[in-house]
């Protein structure tokens, strides 16, 4: 068994390959709810295809609109606990 790399790494390195999915979709500008739902669906689909990790482009959730975040951070920035409603329904339902 491999020793952990540091104090925050409690797990050893994987002993088998990990399938990683690179996701790409058209984000809806400023619509975090819709973009989170799209991401959750894509994660679910990738999980069923065997992916253990799914990566998205930077700022996918807010639709790549930094000006929107600056104009109204409470509305457009992803807030703590926002994805909790998606976790149980979509994100962790697929196990390889």
């Amino acid at each position: 068994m491999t020793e952990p790399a540091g104090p925050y790494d409690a797990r050893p390195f994987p002993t088998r390959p990990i399938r990683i999915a690179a996701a790409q979709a058209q984000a809806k500008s400023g619509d975090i709810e819709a973009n989170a739902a799209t991401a959750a669906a894509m994660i679910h689909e990738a999980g069923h295809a065997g992916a253990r990790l799914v990566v998205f482009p930077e700022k996918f959730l807010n639709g790549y609109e930094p000006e929107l975040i600056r104009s109204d951070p409470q509305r457009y920035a992803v807030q703590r606990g926002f994805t909790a409603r998606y976790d149980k329904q979509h994100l962790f339902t697929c196990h390889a």
Side-chain angles (χ1 to χ4, degrees):
M1 188 156 180
T2 309
E3 288 294 319
Y8 300 106
D9 186 7
R11 296 182 182 194
F13 291 108
T15 57
R16 60 188 173 100
I18 296 175
R19 182 170 291 176
I20 300 171
Q24 184 171 354
Q26 182 66 44
K28 295 181 180 175
S29 179
D31 193 344
I32 294 173
E33 291 272 346
N35 295 334
T38 297
M42 293 177 77
I43 291 167
H44 187 76
E45 181 179 346
H48 279 293
R52 302 277 308 206
L53 173 67
V54 183
V55 295
F56 287 84
E58 182 180 15
K59 299 180 184 173
F60 177 77
L61 289 179
N62 68 28
Y64 310 103
E65 297 290 341
E67 290 302 319
L68 284 175
I69 294 172
R70 280 193 280 276
S71 70
D72 190 351
Q74 293 289 44
R75 180 174 180 190
Y76 294 111
V78 177
Q79 303 295 320
R80 180 179 293 225
F82 174 81
T83 58
R85 74 186 115 212
Y86 296 103
D87 291 349
K88 292 180 184 169
Q89 296 173 348
H90 303 285
L91 301 182
F92 300 109
T93 57
C94 303
H95 300 283

